[in-house]
Amino acid sequence: MLSATVIRRLEALETISKQGKPINGVFRLLENPILWHEAYANIYANTGAMTPGVDEVTLDGFSEERVTSIITRLKSGTYRFQPVRRTYVPKKNGKKRPLGISSGDDKLVQEVVRIILERIYEPIFDNHSHGFRAGRSPHTALEQIDRQWQAVKWFVDMDLRDYFNTIPHDLLITLLSKKIEDKRFLRLIQAMLDAGYVEDWRYHATYSGVPQGSICAPILANVLLHELDTFMSATKRRFDQGKKRKENPLYRHYSYQIRSLRGKWDSLKGKEEAKHELQRIQQEIRRIDQLRKQIPSGDPFDGGYKRLFYCRYADDFCLGIIGSRADAEQVRQEVRQFIEHNLRLTIAEEKSHICHSKKGVTFVGYELRTYSADRVIKLKRGTRHTWVKSLSEAIQLHIPQDKMQKFCTQRGYGDYVTGKATHKPQWMNLTDAEIILAYNGEFGGLANYYALATGVKKTLHKLEWVWQTSLLKTLANKHKTSVNKIVKRLKTQDGLKLAVKREQETRYTKVFRLKDLRKPAPHDSQLDVQQNGYVWTLSFSEVMKRLNKKQCEYCETTEGPFEVHHVRKLKDVAKGKAFWQRMMAARRRKTLVLCRNCHHQLHAGTLPDKESLKKRVNGEPCASKGARTVLRAGDG
């Protein structure tokens, strides 16, 4: 178990970081094996756990001996990071993003380093930073904008060009050294950055950037851009002026006239001879009030009232400004100069611009713009009733106009403009449940992401029609029948559902519908607060409990050492005929704790089957040692 001393040192990282004191002795934390168990428990279920690096090593075969070997090499200074294997993934704009795939051992080291860096930097990261942080997401960034950016006049949208590949290594290490004085730990991070990459079987050295796909890349990227967050906080304090916007002189003039007329109306009220005069006064009050509603109550040109708002998600950030266009341009130039000179990064000009708030700007896939409603509501103030605007210069979140058509075309649902849907022939070999789940995943993911948008159901209604028709046509083509018959088969009182009958129960796969979409609840601010006390995943990790049991789950021997066998997906073993494959499928696990003998035989294809295990139980010789394994469906 983790010693109380080490626990206190880990918990103290947050306190020391908040106090601004330098942190030392970090490398010694790497020497404790339980930290590596925590790292493995965090990443073993990732989709990339079985993706090999240049040395073909994955997380398969994790064991106590493997951890001890890595720690020994780190302490002696003989551990060497393998260059990452570079591959490319498509971007939305048609271009490709480079992705670095690390070796299995390197992934473990990176995760341990990430855990420590997160404890040091998460407490001091700015509240306006939302990318790659626990409890934060694009939705939290948008909620912050929706809550705080009221009555902005200008948006300044800025993006960094090729950020992850251009981070200066020397500058990053310099910034890390301001908080961390442990030179061995800093040299480890430097070695990680300088490992290079292999592309088309050729090695390339790296002098800048962090590999996208690296476990440490997000937090290292945030460490550098934390300097931008700090700069923007200082700029905001310098830019903001005034406590309240001055009242619009013309608005004040109309209000004075209305008060005067109402006073006159009160003095004549109840007098029979003043009936016509009272009607005239009421008509005049309505006329002036209509003129007053056409103008803002505050002075939009008040030079003594300015506000600067800032929000960042990863390398994409946006500014909101209450002030003049010249103020927006000045702030933009100051930010550009800081980024280019202090951070040595480059602004992507084609993605950076200033625009009026009513025109709007795109940020994290949403369109932000201000809106003033024509509708008025009746309020009682004192003894009188008055009418006021229901909405004035409020921030609204919208789905970009071209998003639906692009999504429909990219996913192959059909023609969005005409509303004519087509089936997906590439999904014809899937089961009915798999087809529905695949369609649900695509459209449901889009709808849930844009759940914060104004009028999201109305905006996505047409796309839902094309999407659902495409789904029904795919099922109809698969079964050589009509769409109407598919609808009749799936229709229930609660929408379209597919019933899959099994031996003991009937499971239902429901077709997603916008009617069931709910706006996310307001973000809980406590999610972003680090809790007191270090909570270790190890205490709850099912795979680590199984490994610590020190018993082979196949042959049940207690003679170690023990290793964890991985498969990439459960479908890889779902139709397997080998006993170990049926074990993993029945238990719904992608991992299997084996003794080293069984693990080596599994990879060699010589692991004995169930019949051999029965013979061994009866005293007959068998290649694997131990007792009989009981297969229990749903175990785990």
Side-chain angles (χ1 to χ4, degrees):
M1 291 297 293
L2 191 63
S3 67
T5 303
V6 175
I7 292 178
R8 286 196 299 269
R9 285 174 55 196
L10 288 167
E11 292 177 336
L13 290 179
E14 179 180 344
T15 304
I16 296 173
S17 182
K18 285 181 178 180
Q19 293 173 349
K21 297 178 181 179
I23 298 173
N24 214 325
V26 180
F27 193 85
R28 289 198 298 272
L29 294 173
L30 300 176
E31 300 174 5
N32 197 293
I34 203 168
L35 193 61
W36 297 83
H37 297 171
E38 164 74 4
Y40 175 72
N42 287 345
I43 65 176
Y44 84 95
N46 293 351
T47 54
M50 289 299 294
T51 305
V54 294
D55 57 357
E56 300 298 323
V57 175
T58 67
L59 289 184
D60 181 52
F62 177 83
S63 63
E64 295 282 355
E65 287 71 20
R66 186 172 176 179
V67 169
T68 302
S69 173
I70 295 175
I71 293 176
T72 301
R73 284 180 285 159
L74 286 172
K75 290 171 65 176
S76 63
T78 58
Y79 186 90
R80 296 293 180 267
F81 285 95
Q82 298 291 329
V84 299
R85 178 168 62 86
R86 174 166 286 190
T87 185
Y88 292 88
V89 294
K91 299 171 67 174
K92 293 181 180 179
N93 57 9
K95 298 181 180 180
K96 292 185 176 181
R97 175 184 288 109
L99 186 68
I101 301 174
S102 303
S103 168
D105 287 352
D106 290 349
K107 289 175 182 176
L108 286 170
V109 178
Q110 290 171 12
E111 175 61 15
V112 172
V113 171
R114 186 202 64 80
I115 290 172
I116 295 174
L117 288 177
E118 186 176 63
R119 277 287 154 179
I120 295 172
Y121 281 96
E122 187 62 32
I124 65 171
F125 278 156
D126 194 87
N127 192 44
H128 299 92
S129 167
H130 295 266
F132 310 123
R133 295 180 62 187
R136 292 175 181 254
S137 66
H139 278 187
T140 62
L142 293 165
E143 287 170 358
Q144 186 180 77
I145 291 174
D146 187 42
R147 187 172 59 251
Q148 299 177 3
W149 293 30
Q150 299 302 320
V152 297
K153 292 299 179 184
W154 303 97
F155 288 123
V156 181
D157 181 29
M158 305 186 78
D159 196 6
L160 301 177
R161 186 184 302 281
D162 203 15
Y163 172 59
F164 279 87
N165 293 329
T166 57
I167 295 176
H169 288 178
D170 57 338
L171 177 59
L172 181 58
I173 296 298
T174 300
L175 294 175
L176 288 169
S177 63
K178 290 181 179 180
K179 297 289 296 180
I180 304 170
E181 289 188 345
D182 193 322
K183 293 184 178 180
R184 286 199 299 172
F185 188 73
L186 293 176
R187 283 198 298 267
L188 181 66
I189 296 178
Q190 182 76 64
M192 187 191 307
L193 296 172
D194 296 340
Y197 66 93
V198 172
E199 183 178 5
D200 295 330
W201 302 102
R202 293 185 61 184
Y203 172 79
H204 301 268
T206 49
Y207 304 100
S208 63
V210 293
Q212 294 190 57
S214 167
I215 294 173
C216 274
I219 192 164
L220 291 176
N222 271 338
V223 168
L224 182 63
L225 287 184
H226 176 63
E227 299 300 307
L228 174 62
D229 301 338
T230 304
F231 171 78
M232 291 308 306
S233 296
T235 304
K236 175 177 174 59
R237 290 192 296 269
R238 185 177 66 254
F239 182 87
D240 290 357
Q241 295 181 20
K243 294 184 178 180
K244 186 179 180 181
R245 193 193 301 271
K246 291 181 180 179
E247 191 176 8
N248 189 332
L250 185 57
Y251 189 94
R252 183 173 63 245
H253 173 69
Y254 287 148
S255 298
Y256 175 78
Q257 286 185 316
I258 291 173
R259 284 196 300 270
S260 178
L261 288 170
R262 282 176 175 168
K264 189 175 181 180
W265 190 89
D266 289 339
S267 64
L268 297 176
K269 184 179 179 181
K271 296 180 180 180
E272 186 64 28
E273 64 276 10
K275 181 177 180 180
H276 294 289
E277 181 65 13
L278 287 172
Q279 292 178 351
R280 187 193 67 79
I281 292 174
Q282 285 183 331
Q283 292 176 356
E284 184 67 9
I285 289 175
R286 293 193 190 99
R287 185 187 69 82
I288 297 175
D289 189 45
Q290 288 296 324
L291 293 174
R292 186 175 65 171
K293 288 174 182 175
Q294 298 174 11
I295 60 175
S297 60
D299 184 2
F301 302 104
D302 181 10
Y305 181 81
K306 297 180 181 180
R307 289 292 184 272
L308 171 62
F309 303 98
Y310 166 74
C311 188
R312 178 175 68 83
Y313 184 84
D315 59 334
D316 188 11
F317 60 96
C318 185
L319 310 178
I321 293 177
I322 298 178
S324 64
R325 172 69 185 247
D327 292 329
E329 184 62 40
Q330 180 183 352
V331 171
R332 180 188 182 188
Q333 293 301 328
E334 290 178 3
V335 174
R336 178 196 300 276
Q337 185 176 9
F338 178 82
I339 290 174
E340 294 179 348
H341 291 82
N342 295 65
L343 302 184
R344 290 153 45 192
L345 300 171
T346 306
I347 296 291
E349 294 295 339
E350 67 277 7
K351 298 181 181 179
S352 305
H353 27 54
I354 300 175
C355 61
H356 196 274
S357 60
K358 289 190 179 296
K359 182 179 179 182
V361 68
T362 302
F363 180 66
V364 294
Y366 275 73
E367 187 177 275
L368 317 179
R369 61 175 182 262
T370 56
Y371 172 75
S372 295
D374 295 329
R375 186 171 66 90
V376 293
I377 56 177
K378 190 175 183 180
L379 295 178
K380 186 175 182 180
R381 291 178 177 173
T383 59
R384 297 183 183 277
H385 287 85
T386 186
W387 298 86
V388 297
K389 290 182 180 179
S390 61
L391 200 65
S392 180
E393 297 297 324
I395 282 281
Q396 282 192 333
L397 312 176
H398 294 271
I399 305 175
Q401 293 296 319
D402 60 343
K403 182 65 181 179
M404 284 71 71
Q405 185 170 349
K406 284 183 179 180
F407 186 84
C408 187
T409 303
Q410 290 171 353
R411 302 296 179 175
Y413 298 149
D415 192 330
Y416 178 78
V417 177
T418 61
K420 185 176 181 180
T422 58
H423 71 285
K424 282 194 173 189
Q426 65 271 27
W427 286 358
M428 299 282 284
N429 294 328
L430 300 177
T431 65
D432 290 1
E434 288 174 335
I435 291 174
I436 293 174
L437 291 173
Y439 269 95
N440 283 354
E442 289 183 344
F443 182 69
L446 178 78
N448 284 316
Y449 185 76
Y450 284 110
L452 293 175
T454 300
V456 56
K457 295 181 181 180
K458 181 180 179 180
T459 306
L460 293 179
H461 178 70
K462 183 177 180 180
L463 179 61
E464 182 190 27
W465 165 259
V466 180
W467 163 80
Q468 188 180 92
T469 307
S470 175
L471 164 61
L472 296 173
K473 283 189 174 182
T474 302
L475 292 173
N477 274 269
K478 175 180 172 64
H479 294 285
K480 308 299 181 183
T481 185
S482 66
V483 170
N484 288 337
K485 289 183 179 180
I486 293 293
V487 172
K488 188 177 294 185
R489 172 188 164 194
L490 301 179
K491 191 173 182 180
T492 67
Q493 292 181 347
D494 192 27
L496 301 180
K497 289 183 179 180
L498 174 68
V500 180
K501 294 184 178 180
R502 299 198 173 186
E503 295 180 359
Q504 298 179 349
E505 61 178 347
T506 300
R507 293 190 176 183
Y508 294 91
T509 302
K510 186 176 181 179
V511 177
F512 178 85
R513 56 181 184 176
L514 280 176
K515 182 179 180 180
D516 299 326
L517 183 66
R518 296 291 180 267
K519 188 173 182 178
H523 176 63
D524 183 1
S525 60
Q526 293 301 311
L527 288 176
D528 301 331
V529 178
Q530 291 289 319
Q531 301 296 321
N532 292 329
Y534 205 86
V535 181
W536 289 96
T537 306
L538 179 62
S539 303
F540 312 98
S541 172
E542 171 259 353
V543 69
M544 291 310 303
K545 287 181 179 179
R546 289 158 49 204
L547 183 61
N548 289 334
K549 190 177 179 181
K550 298 187 182 301
Q551 184 177 36
C552 179
E553 294 178 344
Y554 191 78
C555 71
E556 292 192 352
T557 182
T558 56
E559 298 178 13
F562 302 95
E563 300 174 344
V564 182
H565 174 68
H566 285 253
V567 294
R568 189 181 300 274
K569 298 178 181 178
L570 275 175
K571 66 167 60 175
D572 296 339
V573 296
K575 298 181 180 180
K577 296 182 180 180
F579 185 43
W580 67 269
Q581 291 175 322
R582 287 183 282 122
M583 282 182 64
M584 298 183 75
R587 298 182 182 188
R588 299 184 179 277
R589 289 174 176 165
K590 295 196 295 183
T591 59
L592 188 66
V593 177
L594 301 173
C595 62
R596 181 169 293 176
N597 185 35
C598 285
H599 196 201
H600 287 181
Q601 290 181 22
L602 186 152
H603 281 285
T606 60
L607 189 64
D609 57 14
K610 186 176 181 180
E611 295 301 323
S612 299
L613 287 175
K614 287 182 178 179
K615 290 180 180 180
R616 175 180 37 76
V617 171
N618 295 327
E620 300 180 26
C622 179
S624 182
K625 299 178 180 180
R628 182 167 57 91
T629 299
V630 179
L631 179 63
R632 295 174 294 174
D635 185 19

